[in-house]
Structures are given as C-alpha cells and as structure tokens.
Amino acid sequence: MEILLFSALKNLAYSTVFGGTYVTKVTATDADDPVYGNSAKLVYSILEGQPYFSVEPHTAIIKTALSNMDREAKEEYTVVIQAKDMGGHMGGLSGTTTVTITLTDVNDNPPKFAQSLYHFSVLEDIAVGEAIGRVKANDLDIGENAKSSYDIIEGDGMDIFEITSDSLEGIIRLRKPLDFETKNSYTLKVEATNAYIDPRFISMGPFKDTATLKIVVEDADEPPIFSSPTYLLEVHENAAINSVIGQVTAHDPDGSSSSIRFSIDRNTDLERQFNINTQDGKITLATPLDRETSTWHNITIVAMEERNPSQISRVPVAIKVLDVNDNPPEVVSGNEAYLCENGKTGKVIHTMRVIDKDDPKNGHYFVYNLPSEMANNPNFTIKENEDNTFNILTKRNGFSRQKQEVYFLPIIISDSGNPPMSSTSTLTIKVCGCSNEGIAQSCNAEAYVLPIGLSMGALIAILACIILLLVIVVLFVTLRRHKNEPLIIKDDEDVRENIIRYDDEGGGEEDTEAFDIATLQNPDGINGFLPRKDIKPDLQFMPRQGLAPVPNGVDVDEFINVRLHEADNDPTAPPYDSIQIYGYEGRGSVAGSLSSLESSTSDSDQNFDYLSEWGPRFKRLGELYSLGESDKET
C-alpha cells in the first residue's frame, strides 16, 4: 500500500498568542483505497517544533502549546509535521512537511528612555520656535507599535518650552524669549507614551516612561533695550529753541553692562528739527515748530552700545505739536462789494466768511466790530451769523455816485483765543447803477452822465473805432514820408573806388626828356562833349565848350590840377568821386618797345635816367586819382 504526502514549506506570520491558539492546518493524501482496511487511514504527529506548537492527530490542526511566546524573544519557528497511514501503527508508511511560523508584533512593550536625566544648554538670544534639543524613548515593538507621544508634565519652564513628536523622537522648542539675567536654568519632566495600546495588554502596563530635562541658559551679547516699545511726546508750537520736549531711556541687558549712546536716525528727520543728548537721551527742539504746517513728527531713536557698536536698537518716537493761538482771523470771501443807488435800507450788500488757521479745543468764535471812530457809521452796519460769517447791511437809502462813488468800511475781527488775536479787513463798497432786478450795470460817475440808453458795449465799440482811425492816420503819414525821400544817397553811405586805367605802353627812351600828356587823350573826342555816365542829372545844362588841345610837354601836375578843377565845377552832376576812363592807347612810340625781353638781348647801352625824373610824377599821378573828394580838397 502506498501513501502520497504533499510536503511543502509554509511560512506563517502570527502575533504573540496564548497557549492552544489556532495557527494553521495541513492536509496529506493517500493513494490507497480508503475502504480497504487501514491503508488510507492517516494519523498526524509533530516531529519538530515542540514545546511551542502541537498538532491534532486526526485533523492536522497546528496550535500553540505555550502561552508565553514573545516576538521580542524569538520571532521565527520551524515546525515539522508527519502523516502516517495504517492508523499510525507499526508498518505504516509516512510522509512529512515543514511549516515556518513567524510571530507578528503587538504593542506589548512600553517606551523606555535610555537615561533618566538629559542636559541641554542654550544661548539666551535664540529665536522663538528654534529647537533646543531632542529626546527618544526606545520601544521593543516595531512599526506603529513603536511610536510614542511626548509631553512636558511638570517643571518651572512649562510656559517657556514645548515638546513635539517627530517620528520616534521628541523635539524641545522655545515658546518665549529667554533672558539670562532673569533666569538662567530650567528643569522639566517629560513623558513618553505609546501612541497605540492593545487592550489585551493593558494589565501589563503602564505603557509610558518619564525623564528629567535640565536646560541651562547661557549669556549672550544682546542689544540695548528701551524702557518702552514706543514713545509719544507732546510739545506746543511756540516752544523755545533748545527746550527739552521729552526723553528716551535704554539699558544693556547683559551682565557686564555697557554704556549707551543715543542718536536720531536722520532719514526720519530730514529737516533736522530735533536733537538728542547722546548720553541721557533727552530730545530738544532745533528749529521752530508750526502746527499749521505739520501737526505730527515721527522720528526714530537709535541706541548703541559703546563697548560693542554692532549692538543697536531702534524705537519709534511720535511727536505731536500742540496748538497755540498765533494766527489772527482772515477773511476769505473777498473785500469788494457794490450797492445800488436805488437800494433800500437794511439791504444785505455783502456776506463775509472768516477762517482761523488755529485749532482751539472748543471751536472758533469770532467777534466783529467797527473801529471806534466809525462806531456810529450812518451808512452801514454789521450783522453776525452763527456760522463764522457776517453780513454788511445798509442803514439808509439814497446813495448817489455823483456824491460819492466808493466807501471804505474797515472791520475788526477778533478770535476767542488766549491771548486773543485780531485783524482788520477793509471792505471796498462801490455805488453802482443797477437794473430793476438789482444787477449792477455801471459803477462810476462818468458813465452816469452819458445819454440814457448808451450801454457799456456801445462805449467799447466807439473806443475801438477811434483807435482804428488813429492807426490809419499813422500809416498814411509814414508812407507819405517814405515817398518824398530823395534818391541821392548820402556821401558817407556811398563808397566808391577810383579806377585808373593806363593803356599806353610808353614812348621808350624819348619819354625821358618830355611827356606828352596829349597821348592820353582821344583825338576823336577832343572837341566833342562827353556827358557823365555815372548818374543821370535831374536838370539838363548846355554842353560846355570842348577843351583845347594840350600842347606837348605840359607839366603832369598842372594837367591833373586842371582836370580836378573842371570836375569840381562841373554843373552836370554832384562832385562825386568818379571813374576816369582813358580808352585811347595812342599812335605808337618811335622808341619801340620797352620789353624786358628785348632789353635783355640788346647790346646797346640805354639811358634809364628818365626813371629818376618821371618816376615820382607817375607815383603822384596815381595817388591823386586814388583819393576821394575830401582828400582832393585837402
């Protein structure tokens, strides 16, 4: 008979259990015929795994045999189960299987601190919320069962410190600022508790543990501390220069106290209206104050340690300027009014509104009066309103522009300050002619005597016409004057050059003895009349007799003087400087050419003495023709 047993390795996970707890069940099969005797009757037994586990012989159910199984002591077990046919008797066949059983964790262990006392040290200037240290309570359990929550349950710093849970640790943090000079050590008691507790193991508790924390605060170099986080100062606007308006104080909180120096942050006092004593922090006034210009001044005071200038503190200071009665009332409704000639007695001709730049606590109240010399004014009176305004009323009728065009009414306005301030405002009242509706049409005596019905627009039109006629007359006279101006240009405005042109080449060596001035004349025009071509004369004169031929050998100076005399006495034109043109070249020279080219190649001796005789004369001739008219007379 043959038995077939399915052997397998079974991995089972199980938590800590009590004795007799069901673990699992195995099954074996036998290929023999179950109806034939005991060949297929199986019996189960445990070969390995005792005394922790047991198996039922006929059902193959595996159970725990002990009640003190602990995962923390042993986590994994190997169990070998045997199945035997023939009802387990001798001679039967058998087979085995192995089952691996792993115990799963339950929360049956409390947390436990590694030490009962922890020491921490921290600087007093640590920021609020920063971590000071960490503690951890160990738990033999694993996973979620190992997590603990932490709390501070007692101590003298429960309001200064706090502890938070982070995974398996407790983190101590600062809740409030520390001050070494006030308190330099704290003692706390913390507790670690299992986050998840199995009700089956409550009796095994308590599932928590405690430890003591000793926290020591160390001194740090701190900045100065002001006696107040903010300051509010008040000063009257008429306070004297250099007067003390307030004081700030600060101290060094460190054990080795340092002296403090004060200053003003000038970025908050650009106009430098305040000063501060660097030693005692007294704030003084540097420039006059004016509440009407600025009611509040906000500055920042800086305190600095002399021992360590890097340690500074700042504090805001608000300065309120208090009002004093230093401004008189002012009229803001205008100082001109008009009344109608046909107005009635008691007519309101003007309403005046008054303001005061000061700001009294109980509001403004003004008093209005006329000067003492006008207290019994027969023409006008004042009526006070309740809204800081007053009316000007007439006390009679029958005003006339012909008798008086303008009235001046001085009014004295006083405020209710201490001391009271006053001002005088003069109201100018014009007497005007008005329409039936009371609208002013004319406010001067001249307009009153004009014919009835002539409006202001008509007067303006008449004035415009008069101005236009005057402009036309001025333009006519100006144009007429320009038309009658002479065409002749003044001597000092006419600048001309005298051009003398010589086309005669000269007569050679024969000219050294004499100079025939007649060669400069045009023989064809000797006896003729050549009119002047520089200008056209206004009056025509009879032509003068032609000049007689000049004999040969005449002196050049005499010839020039004669021509100048004739030009100066010529009645055909004013004696201008003129251009004398000599267009006649002459009939040649028997001496031939004076060219330097020929003379350079000639072997004949030439006489150049004529240069010493005629040179100065030609030079004089050029000077005379280049002179102006005034130079000729000279």
Side-chain angles (χ1 to χ4, degrees):
M1 183 178 293
E2 182 181 359
I3 182 171
L4 179 61
L5 179 65
F6 291 95
S7 298
L9 180 62
K10 298 182 180 294
N11 294 295
L12 302 176
Y14 203 73
S15 61
T16 302
V17 294
F18 300 99
T21 301
Y22 174 86
V23 178
T24 187
K25 179 182 179 181
V26 295
T27 302
T29 60
D30 194 333
D32 294 330
D33 188 354
V35 299
Y36 180 76
N38 294 326
S39 299
K41 185 179 181 179
L42 302 178
V43 175
Y44 298 92
S45 61
I46 185 168
L47 300 181
E48 185 180 343
Q50 296 173 334
Y52 303 103
F53 299 94
S54 64
V55 63
E56 291 185 357
H58 301 290
T59 60
I61 295 176
I62 301 173
K63 295 181 179 180
T64 59
L66 298 176
S67 59
N68 60 349
M69 297 180 67
D70 188 4
R71 185 201 67 82
E72 288 74 29
K74 187 175 182 180
E75 183 175 6
E76 186 176 280
Y77 297 87
T78 300
V79 178
V80 178
I81 305 297
Q82 174 184 265
K84 189 175 184 180
D85 61 6
M86 296 300 292
H89 296 290
M90 293 291 294
L93 299 176
S94 64
T96 61
T97 185
T98 300
V99 179
T100 301
I101 300 173
T102 301
L103 297 182
T104 58
D105 183 60
V106 295
N107 194 7
D108 58 347
N109 292 279
K112 187 70 175 177
F113 285 105
Q115 57 193 68
S116 60
L117 180 63
Y118 293 86
H119 292 273
F120 298 97
S121 62
V122 59
L123 290 171
E124 62 175 327
D125 59 353
I126 186 173
V128 173
E130 289 291 327
I132 295 174
R134 295 172 180 262
V135 294
K136 181 180 181 182
N138 298 316
D139 195 326
L140 297 177
D141 298 321
I142 61 174
E144 294 292 330
N145 296 327
K147 291 184 177 180
S148 299
S149 61
Y150 298 87
D151 297 287
I152 298 176
I153 57 177
E154 63 180 57
D156 55 359
M158 296 181 64
D159 59 335
I160 304 297
F161 303 95
E162 64 181 358
I163 188 169
T164 58
S165 300
D166 179 17
S167 183
L168 301 178
E169 295 180 322
I171 305 173
I172 299 95
R173 298 180 184 276
L174 186 66
R175 295 180 62 184
K176 293 182 179 179
L178 298 174
D179 184 11
F180 171 82
E181 290 71 27
T182 303
K183 188 175 179 61
N184 57 16
S185 67
Y186 296 89
T187 301
L188 303 174
K189 189 175 184 179
V190 297
E191 181 183 71
T193 306
N194 272 146
Y196 307 99
I197 300 176
D198 193 329
R200 296 175 298 173
F201 304 102
I202 292 179
S203 59
M204 298 174 61
F207 289 87
K208 56 185 176 181
D209 193 18
T210 60
T212 301
L213 307 181
K214 187 74 173 179
I215 302 175
V216 177
V217 179
E218 297 181 356
D219 188 21
D221 193 3
E222 300 175 277
I225 298 177
F226 283 96
S227 59
S228 175
T230 59
Y231 290 87
L232 174 61
L233 307 179
E234 293 183 346
V235 56
H236 286 89
E237 61 178 323
N238 62 347
I241 302 299
N242 296 325
S243 60
V244 178
I245 63 177
Q247 184 178 13
V248 297
T249 58
H251 71 280
D252 183 6
D254 300 323
S256 56
S257 180
S258 172
S259 300
I260 306 299
R261 295 182 63 86
F262 299 94
S263 62
I264 297 177
D265 185 350
R266 291 304 178 182
N267 291 327
T268 61
D269 184 27
L270 297 176
E271 298 179 357
R272 297 183 176 270
Q273 291 190 279
F274 306 96
N275 291 324
I276 188 170
N277 189 298
T278 59
Q279 302 298 326
D280 57 17
K282 290 182 179 180
I283 302 174
T284 57
L285 188 62
T287 61
L289 298 175
D290 185 8
R291 187 204 66 85
E292 288 71 38
T293 301
S294 180
T295 305
W296 287 92
H297 298 272
N298 297 293
I299 64 176
T300 299
I301 303 300
V302 180
M304 178 183 65
E305 290 185 11
E306 289 188 349
R307 182 184 60 192
N308 186 1
S310 64
Q311 295 296 332
I312 62 174
S313 297
R314 300 173 183 270
V315 67
V317 178
I319 303 173
K320 182 179 181 181
V321 182
L322 302 179
D323 182 60
V324 296
N325 193 36
D326 58 349
N327 291 279
E330 298 178 3
V331 174
V332 294
S333 56
N335 293 323
E336 290 189 358
Y338 75 92
L339 61 85
C340 297
E341 289 183 313
N342 56 355
K344 299 179 180 180
T345 303
K347 176 70 174 178
V348 177
I349 62 174
H350 192 58
T351 299
M352 304 186 75
R353 185 167 68 89
V354 180
I355 64 169
D356 194 330
K357 294 181 180 179
D358 297 320
D359 186 21
K361 295 181 179 179
N362 300 323
H364 291 291
Y365 176 75
F366 302 109
V367 178
Y368 313 98
N369 294 299
L370 295 176
S372 57
E373 63 273 12
M374 300 185 65
N376 298 321
N377 189 292
N379 301 313
F380 308 100
T381 185
I382 298 175
K383 180 181 179 182
E384 182 179 347
N385 300 324
E386 300 297 331
D387 55 355
N388 295 332
T389 63
F390 62 95
N391 296 331
I392 309 298
L393 295 82
T394 57
K395 295 178 65 175
R396 65 178 180 87
N397 56 11
F399 290 93
S400 174
R401 284 177 290 170
Q402 290 182 327
K403 293 181 179 180
Q404 186 171 348
E405 294 183 66
V406 180
Y407 293 87
F408 298 99
L409 183 65
I411 303 169
I412 301 174
I413 308 169
S414 303
D415 60 20
S416 56
N418 185 22
M421 301 288 290
S422 64
S423 64
T424 301
S425 179
T426 301
L427 179 65
T428 302
I429 304 172
K430 296 181 179 180
V431 182
C432 301
C434 302
S435 63
N436 295 331
E437 292 79 13
I439 300 175
Q441 293 183 335
S442 177
C443 297
N444 54 72
E446 290 76 12
Y448 182 77
V449 301
L450 290 175
I452 299 176
L454 190 60
S455 64
M456 184 62 66
L459 292 175
I460 294 175
I462 293 173
L463 181 61
C465 292
I466 294 173
I467 294 174
L468 181 60
L469 289 174
L470 290 175
V471 171
I472 293 173
V473 170
V474 171
L475 291 175
F476 177 78
V477 172
T478 303
L479 294 175
R480 185 64 178 268
R481 181 177 299 174
H482 280 293
K483 184 176 180 180
N484 293 334
E485 287 183 355
L487 296 178
I488 299 175
I489 304 175
K490 295 181 180 180
D491 293 342
D492 56 352
E493 296 179 358
D494 183 53
V495 180
R496 303 185 184 181
E497 295 182 355
N498 294 308
I499 301 175
I500 302 174
R501 193 169 81 185
Y502 297 93
D503 291 336
D504 185 27
E505 196 175 53
E509 294 179 355
E510 296 179 1
D511 292 336
T512 59
E513 299 296 334
F515 178 77
D516 186 5
I517 197 64
T519 58
L520 299 179
Q521 295 179 342
N522 187 350
D524 301 331
I526 276 183
N527 296 322
F529 171 72
L530 296 177
R532 297 281 295 274
K533 295 182 180 181
D534 50 355
I535 62 168
K536 182 179 180 180
D538 291 336
L539 300 176
Q540 296 294 332
F541 294 91
M542 292 300 293
R544 60 183 178 177
Q545 289 292 332
L547 299 176
V550 180
N552 293 335
V554 69
D555 185 72
V556 174
D557 291 341
E558 182 180 355
F559 171 78
I560 295 301
N561 290 332
V562 171
R563 287 290 185 263
L564 289 177
H565 178 74
E566 292 177 355
D568 290 340
N569 292 279
D570 189 356
T572 60
Y576 287 159
D577 294 340
S578 60
I579 300 174
Q580 301 295 333
I581 299 174
Y582 297 89
Y584 179 66
E585 185 177 359
R587 292 183 173 85
S589 174
V590 295
S593 174
L594 294 177
S595 172
S596 60
L597 295 177
E598 295 181 5
S599 61
S600 62
T601 56
S602 176
D603 296 330
S604 62
D605 295 331
Q606 297 184 15
N607 186 8
F608 293 96
D609 294 339
Y610 66 92
L611 292 178
S612 60
E613 179 182 355
W614 288 99
R617 295 189 178 187
F618 279 103
K619 180 178 180 182
R620 178 59 180 166
L621 178 63
E623 290 177 354
L624 290 175
Y625 271 85
S626 63
L627 293 177
E629 189 66 32
S630 60
D631 296 331
K632 295 175 182 179
E633 295 175 358
T634 303

